[in-house]
Amino acid sequence: MAQHFLLSAQARTLSLKEIYKGGEDKAYQVFKKLRWASTDGNPVCPKCGCLDHYEISTRRKFKCAACGSQYSVTSGTIFASRKLGFMDLLGAVCIFVNAVKGLSALQLSRDLDVQYKTAWVLAHKLREALSLEIQNDKALDGDVEVDGAYFGGHIRPHNIAEKRVDRRRAEHQTGKRRVVVAFRERNGRTRPFVVKSEAEGVELAKRHVDRLAIMHADEASHWDMLHAGWETERVNHSKTYSDHGKHTNWVESYFSRLRRMVTGQHHHVSPQYLHQYANHAAWLEDNRRNSNGENAADILGKAMAHGVSRVWKGYWQRANAT
């Protein structure tokens, strides 16, 4: 029997042992080469683009010879104002990509020996960086499957049977329930969106799916509108999951990963940040056939190319201020 890719040596090209054996200097060189790839790691001033600089070796900083501004390898990136060392950041990325069904901030904080708050914000910064690949403007094409799944808003039933309410009724809802509508190309990209109703997926399709694509959906009535804009294949799940190529198995595979992430790792996900976890699951699903070294380089490169996060920089300071 053929060996699964994830069980092979080709899937393991990066390890924590090698990262920490290399030390801080080697990790620093990795960050320099990723930040300034076009100059093979030679610093470029982020303000004026000048290559001439003075090195402040005691602080791992540079001073631009043209404009005089000081900058570091993480200035203007998502890691700006970092406190962790480069070796720990590289280790965090390795741990992050190795967790194929998501990673809780508590586990990351224990692995790195940092506060929970530090790990939580760091994980969300990485999710924000990878979301740029997921939520791009390129329309989905080919065979595209669409479906929705609800998350959050659980209402615990009362202990006494006589006091229990019908949790399906609107007046008993918490207002935190959201639906993730996902579009997935077969053998291609996954693009999720967080909305309040699955029916909103029709309008999302108009903006993100090519009109020449072939849509695949289940028998939910709101997907009837897809027939007006696309060639559409439907499958009745009450009778069969797959009917001669008519199925939504690819997008259901994505929801399987997302549910295991939310239920098994995070346990509780706020509707405010559900899109972060949905994008993370989509990235994991789309890159599941890459080695962990490739995925680490991919996400670290995206993080170094990403600007300063306006959501996560100083998150806890703002939260404590309010």
Side-chain angles (χ1 to χ4, degrees), residues 72-236:
S72 71
V73 69
T74 57
S75 293
T77 74
I78 208 162
F79 294 128
S81 304
R82 63 176 177 84
K83 301 295 190 298
L84 289 177
F86 295 103
M87 190 166 53
D88 286 331
L89 285 176
L90 201 56
V93 172
C94 180
I95 295 168
F96 189 80
V97 301
N98 282 342
V100 295
K101 289 185 175 65
L103 177 72
S104 69
L106 182 59
Q107 180 177 338
L108 183 60
S109 71
R110 290 173 173 174
D111 289 341
L112 296 178
D113 190 24
V114 297
Q115 289 188 31
Y116 172 83
K117 291 180 177 181
T118 302
W120 192 78
V121 166
L122 176 58
H124 273 300
K125 284 182 177 180
L126 295 177
R127 293 186 186 104
E128 181 176 311
L130 62 85
S131 67
L132 292 181
E133 175 188 340
I134 302 301
Q135 300 295 347
N136 56 47
D137 295 329
K138 186 178 179 181
L140 301 170
D141 55 16
D143 288 281
V144 179
E145 298 179 5
V146 60
D147 202 359
Y150 285 85
F151 293 86
H154 173 73
I155 306 169
R156 176 179 291 184
H158 199 281
N159 179 49
I160 301 173
E162 289 76 10
K163 295 184 179 181
R164 292 173 190 165
V165 298
D166 187 348
R167 294 179 288 171
R168 297 169 297 180
R169 299 181 67 88
E171 60 265 27
H172 300 143
Q173 297 298 309
T174 63
K176 296 181 179 181
R177 192 167 178 79
R178 296 291 185 273
V179 60
V180 176
V181 173
F183 300 90
R184 187 172 189 187
E185 297 172 338
R186 292 182 179 175
N187 295 303
R189 299 164 292 160
T190 307
R191 191 172 298 172
F193 300 91
V194 177
V195 291
K196 291 189 175 182
S197 170
E198 189 179 52
E200 295 180 49
V202 177
E203 290 300 318
L204 291 170
K206 294 177 181 178
R207 298 198 298 268
H208 300 283
V209 180
D210 191 280
R211 290 291 180 166
L212 297 179
I214 301 174
M215 298 290 291
H216 299 264
D218 58 27
E219 285 295 302
S221 59
H222 45 259
W223 299 132
D224 293 345
M225 299 294 293
L226 294 176
H227 291 273
W230 295 268
E231 180 183 346
T232 306
E233 302 284 354
R234 309 288 289 277
V235 58
N236 190 341

Side-chain angles (χ1 to χ4, degrees), residues 183-320:
F183 300 90
R184 187 172 189 187
E185 297 172 338
R186 292 182 179 175
N187 295 303
R189 299 164 292 160
T190 307
R191 191 172 298 172
F193 300 91
V194 177
V195 291
K196 291 189 175 182
S197 170
E198 189 179 52
E200 295 180 49
V202 177
E203 290 300 318
L204 291 170
K206 294 177 181 178
R207 298 198 298 268
H208 300 283
V209 180
D210 191 280
R211 290 291 180 166
L212 297 179
I214 301 174
M215 298 290 291
H216 299 264
D218 58 27
E219 285 295 302
S221 59
H222 45 259
W223 299 132
D224 293 345
M225 299 294 293
L226 294 176
H227 291 273
W230 295 268
E231 180 183 346
T232 306
E233 302 284 354
R234 309 288 289 277
V235 58
N236 190 341
H237 284 161
S238 64
K239 295 181 179 180
T240 181
Y241 290 116
S242 179
D243 181 15
H244 300 89
K246 299 177 183 178
H247 62 78
T248 56
N249 291 346
W250 284 84
V251 72
E252 291 288 357
S253 177
Y254 161 74
F255 283 126
S256 177
R257 187 185 295 269
L258 181 57
R259 287 200 182 281
R260 283 177 170 83
M261 177 187 290
V262 172
T263 304
Q265 287 288 341
H266 304 293
H267 305 302
H268 168 74
V269 172
S270 166
Q272 183 179 359
Y273 303 122
L274 178 58
H275 67 283
Q276 293 269 80
Y277 299 97
N279 289 331
H280 183 191
W283 182 84
L284 287 170
E285 191 72 10
D286 293 350
N287 294 278
R288 67 194 184 284
R289 293 288 182 174
N290 296 340
S291 68
N292 63 342
E294 289 175 309
N295 283 340
D298 179 53
I299 194 171
L300 192 56
K302 287 180 171 60
M304 296 301 287
H306 194 288
V308 177
S309 174
R310 299 307 172 189
V311 177
W312 301 110
K313 183 182 178 182
Y315 175 87
W316 291 110
Q317 289 86 341
R318 294 194 304 272
N320 293 334

